[in-house]
Amino acid sequence: MLSIPQLTKTKDYKSIAVLTSGGDAPGMNAAIRAVVRYALASGLEVHGVMKGYSGLLEGDLHPMSASSVANIIQRGGTILKTDRCAAFFKKTVRREAANLLIRKGIDALVVIGGDGSFAGAHLLEKETGFPTIGIPGTIDNDIPGTDDTIGFDTAVNTAIDSIDKIRDTASSHDRIFIVEVMGRSSGFIAAQVGLGGGAETILVPEQKISVAEVARTVERGAKRGKSSSIIVMAEGEKPGLSYRVAAALGKKGYSAKVCILGHTQRGGIPTAHDRMIASVMGASAVAFLLAGKSGGMVGIQNGELKLVPFKQIADTRKKLPLDLLNLAQILAT
Ligand code: F6P
């Protein structure tokens, strides 16, 4: 069970701000609630920034009270809204953001988001010295330095629920289905969903597999009497990849249907697990700030909460355990 790190308060902060950035993830609201309520309980004022870094640049900040985060722990999405802000890549813009926060009397910033959002947070603190801390919120679970991210568990469960349904129709019609899950450049969702959903083959950006190999797996299954198959694949960088794989399989004599789960994986009621990690991470972010620790992300490592420096995360990739893909294949054929 996770617990909040025991830290000594060293900072006399009066006010902090919190924003959500990048793709939304179920459980972000639970994290906002935890940041706001833990900060208020610690005697701080809290401002919610609307629409991520874009809202920050526009000064779209609002005071948060305990009741402003009431009844949101179970809601998907983010009440603060979110954005992918290209302008924040500019150094001058980050300086403006820090100045604005200082003018508003804010002492530190909490950023809930993924690796792109943390790249901005890293540079903001490095260049301006403005205390900034990250909470990993992304369905992709692709951030190095943390075993888990808020939203991953919900997204995986949403996708598995769909696969169970697809299985019914696949088996009734003796069909092959290619189920495309999210993950532009990482296969964590695909690996977990494929293994948990009993897929024959899992295709991820981290590993190249030829269509001939996919066809061979389908053939092996067919030889032992399988009449339907599920192939799980991550969406990858270029839209429509699953249709191209289906067409290539078709040329080898295997007709496959495609089902793209898309943004359904980003929404919905967060699982108990995501709400729990969001609550502990949110509170811990405030505890770290009050102890004078910033410039990093609150990460979970082997069941413990750590402050992982942003520079440790920058330009590194989280390694997907590829043996899971092999295991899925062994278990499904
Ligand atoms: O980062 C989360 C994520 O859902 C990825 O899995 C996906 O590739 C991407 O965001 C989609 O982003 P958008 O909704 O901006 O198209």
Side-chain angles (χ1 to χ4, degrees):
M1 195 79 182
L2 290 176
S3 62
I4 302 166
Q6 295 305 305
L7 300 161
T8 314
K9 185 177 166 185
T10 60
K11 290 282 176 186
D12 196 19
Y13 289 155
K14 300 272 176 296
S15 180
I16 62 166
V18 56
L19 61 80
T20 47
S21 167
D24 63 346
M28 276 186 166
N29 277 328
I32 296 167
R33 172 180 177 269
V35 169
V36 170
R37 293 216 171 139
Y38 197 83
L40 292 174
S42 310
L44 295 169
E45 281 175 15
V46 192
H47 279 76
V49 184
M50 298 305 293
K51 267 211 167 289
Y53 293 124
S54 306
L56 176 57
L57 298 174
E58 286 164 14
D60 198 359
L61 276 68
H62 303 269
M64 307 284 283
S65 64
S67 57
S68 64
V69 290
N71 205 18
I72 64 166
I73 195 168
Q74 79 287 10
R75 279 171 55 194
T78 157
I79 59 160
L80 293 178
K81 306 211 182 251
T82 184
D83 196 16
R84 300 190 195 273
C85 177
F88 216 71
F89 286 118
K90 285 198 195 131
K91 191 173 180 175
T92 49
V93 168
R94 291 190 291 270
R95 164 55 64 192
E96 260 175 58
N99 290 343
L100 192 141
L101 286 163
I102 293 163
R103 276 201 308 279
K104 295 232 178 228
I106 299 198
D107 300 306
L109 176 67
V110 180
V111 173
I112 307 170
D115 51 358
S117 311
F118 293 165
H122 176 38
L123 293 174
L124 178 72
E125 170 146 352
K126 195 172 141 191
E127 293 159 3
T128 69
F130 193 85
T132 306
I133 195 162
I135 299 177
T138 164
I139 63 164
D140 290 343
N141 196 16
D142 59 347
I143 307 178
T146 185
D147 300 337
D148 209 351
T149 60
I150 297 163
F152 176 63
D153 186 59
T154 307
V156 164
N157 278 292
T158 300
I160 286 204
D161 189 45
S162 299
I163 288 185
D164 291 346
K165 290 177 176 134
I166 291 165
R167 225 169 236 298
D168 290 344
T169 177
S171 116
S172 305
H173 285 266
D174 292 340
R175 271 177 176 158
I176 303 167
F177 264 88
I178 300 177
V179 182
E180 186 181 299
V181 297
M182 274 195 158
R184 208 165 13 211
S185 50
S186 70
F188 286 89
I189 297 181
Q192 189 116 340
V193 166
L195 190 57
E200 275 77 10
T201 305
I202 304 172
L203 304 175
V204 294
E206 290 90 339
Q207 188 183 55
K208 295 268 168 285
I209 296 186
S210 68
V211 175
E213 258 177 275
V214 178
R216 271 199 296 277
T217 312
V218 173
E219 202 169 82
R220 261 203 314 275
K223 275 199 186 128
R224 75 141 179 93
K226 268 188 138 173
S227 58
S228 64
S229 291
I230 303 282
I231 297 163
V232 169
M233 70 177 289
E235 60 186 339
E237 295 285 348
K238 290 191 195 133
L241 187 60
S242 45
Y243 283 103
R244 290 199 287 280
V245 173
L249 272 178
K251 283 191 189 137
K252 296 207 171 286
Y254 296 101
S255 155
K257 294 276 176 187
V258 170
C259 180
I260 299 178
L261 301 184
H263 287 78
T264 55
Q265 297 155 93
R266 284 248 292 265
I269 296 172
T271 57
H273 175 81
D274 278 333
R275 297 182 206 192
M276 192 276 290
I277 63 168
S279 301
V280 180
M281 282 178 167
S284 301
V286 177
F288 276 123
L289 284 177
L290 288 174
K293 293 176 192 296
S294 61
M297 162 198 80
V298 179
I300 301 174
Q301 295 181 357
N302 301 320
E304 269 186 53
L305 283 165
K306 303 263 174 249
L307 187 73
V308 186
F310 284 137
K311 66 171 179 310
Q312 219 170 292
I313 306 167
D315 303 324
T316 50
R317 288 182 63 82
K318 187 167 173 179
K319 214 165 171 280
L320 180 71
L322 292 174
D323 56 320
L324 291 187
L325 313 189
N326 200 23
L327 176 64
Q329 212 171 72
I330 293 169
L331 299 184
T333 44

